[in-house]
Amino acid sequence: MHDAADTPARPYVGRYAPSPTGHLHLGNLRTAVIAWARARAAGGRFLVRIEDIDRQRSRPEYEARQLADLAAIGLDWDDEPVRQSDRHSLYDDAIRRLPTYPCYCSRKDIQRELAEIGGAPHGAPGAYPGTCRDLTDDQRAAKAAALAADGRGPSLRLRSDVREWTARDALHGTITGDVDDMVLRRADGMWAYNLAVVVDDADQGITEIVRGDDLLSSAPRQAHLAHLLGVPEPTYAHVPLVVSAEGRRLAKRDGDVTLRDITAEKAKRWILESLRAGAGGAGADVFADVDDIADLPEVFDLMAIPRERVVFR
């Protein structure tokens, strides 16, 4: 098992990678500010990537609005944003370099089998049980024909040779998590998030990924894919989410507190105040004299941000 801490230091490159499926809410904007400030404080580069592989939900108007909102709260980025929809050849190349097998299971098939066998025989609850991993050629042909008769095709899964992997997080330390035979390309032909994000981060030279802690469990799987592809494993910094007064995480699809609801100036003030609120008072000291997000990189300290989820009232 490899530890990402063994990776030699590289010039810092950070990123923010929104999906253009709605307006950025206040939690999204706060995470973007932290990612930007971290990169600029390190004297590094900061990139924006448009993660639009979800062809059904992605919209150009959301992309334009998201970029405008990031600029409105004072963020800048290096180079023009790239779009996942323009990068299919990179994903094709990556998937040819990985050990894979076709999977003919629907979600209902997997749920039914897990219920019958009492859970995945190896790995975390709900992990793929390996139904299609060791099919014979005749079995694969029969299942492929059955899917084709319904106008469908198989997904493509990683043939994993490990059950867990370790990634390194600046806030959480080492994270060891389960690795299963994850989907790399969906049955509808759409690239899976885990594959696309790993390929993109490697291609763009991302050294650290700052994002919400709802994706913490994905880090070991993604670090393992980077290892298999022979590219440097990035480090991570999973920051606490912003939640509502009821404790519910904010969501784009619910229209939660965007720049359609409050002004950019109010959003900037709230983000700065939220950074002063945590880490046992450290944030109050470190960020006390910062009146504008533009000045944040001069004093930014990732260790001083709150470790608990932030409530927006």
Side-chain angles (χ1 to χ4, degrees):
M1 185 163 45
H2 180 77
D3 190 327
D6 297 334
T7 304
R10 296 177 287 155
Y12 192 100
V13 183
R15 52 83 158 170
Y16 184 65
S19 299
T21 56
H23 296 299
L24 296 176
H25 59 63
L26 198 58
N28 300 141
L29 295 172
R30 181 177 184 272
T31 299
V33 167
I34 294 172
W36 171 83
R38 173 78 159 165
R40 295 307 191 214
R45 303 178 70 238
F46 180 70
L47 307 179
V48 171
R49 180 171 71 236
I50 307 300
E51 298 198 333
D52 59 350
I53 52 173
D54 187 339
R55 297 187 296 268
Q56 295 180 336
R57 297 174 58 217
S58 295
R59 298 286 184 273
E61 58 268 29
Y62 285 136
E63 175 188 328
R65 189 68 260 173
Q66 288 179 350
L67 294 175
D69 286 355
L70 293 174
I73 61 169
L75 304 193
D76 64 343
W77 47 89
D78 301 292
D79 303 336
E80 288 296 314
V82 300
R83 297 171 186 81
Q84 288 182 328
S85 56
D86 297 330
R87 300 165 70 79
H88 296 292
S89 61
L90 291 176
Y91 311 142
D92 270 325
D93 177 68
I95 215 164
R96 285 193 292 266
R97 294 154 52 199
L98 292 169
T100 62
Y101 63 90
C103 175
Y104 307 93
C105 301
S106 66
R107 289 185 179 179
K108 289 183 178 180
D109 293 334
I110 296 169
Q111 292 169 354
R112 183 168 54 249
E113 181 168 353
L114 288 173
E116 290 173 354
I117 65 178
H122 307 292
Y128 181 66
T131 309
C132 297
R133 181 181 175 105
D134 296 315
L135 297 177
T136 66
D137 290 343
D138 288 343
Q139 288 172 323
R140 286 198 178 93
K143 287 182 176 289
L147 284 185
D150 292 332
R152 296 184 293 143
S155 61
L156 203 59
R157 288 185 179 272
L158 174 72
R159 185 181 292 275
S160 177
D161 60 352
V162 301
R163 295 184 185 176
E164 63 180 25
W165 201 255
T166 297
R168 188 170 185 276
D169 187 283
L171 292 171
H172 299 268
T174 55
I175 311 164
T176 298
D178 293 298
V179 176
D180 66 352
D181 289 4
M182 69 190 92
V183 170
L184 302 177
R185 190 181 65 213
R186 292 175 14 178
D188 61 3
M190 188 181 300
W191 299 106
Y193 169 76
N194 280 322
L195 176 73
V197 73
V198 170
V199 171
D200 290 333
D201 287 332
D203 179 68
Q204 294 187 287
I206 304 300
T207 58
E208 183 179 69
I209 297 166
V210 178
R211 62 189 184 186
D213 62 9
D214 55 327
L215 292 172
L216 185 66
S217 63
S218 299
R221 291 195 295 272
Q222 292 170 6
H224 180 54
L225 278 182
H227 169 76
L228 290 176
L229 289 169
V231 298
E233 298 172 39
T235 56
Y236 297 84
H238 289 89
V239 302
L241 299 179
V242 176
V243 298
S244 68
E246 296 77 30
R248 177 181 57 81
R249 56 173 289 187
L250 303 186
K252 281 186 297 185
R253 63 179 176 273
D254 297 328
D256 280 323
V257 199
T258 72
L259 294 193
R260 319 290 80 70
D261 307 302
I262 61 175
T263 66
E265 288 304 313
K266 183 176 180 179
K268 290 162 67 173
R269 288 195 300 271
W270 184 87
I271 290 169
L272 288 174
E273 185 56 38
S274 77
L275 297 178
R276 289 191 274 264
D285 294 333
V286 172
F287 306 121
D289 297 326
V290 180
D291 296 321
D292 192 274
I293 282 175
D295 301 324
L296 193 56
E298 296 178 15
V299 299
F300 187 78
D301 181 356
L302 184 68
M303 299 301 122
I305 70 170
R307 300 301 180 91
E308 64 279 355
R309 293 193 168 186
V310 180
V311 178
F312 176 80
R313 292 183 173 90

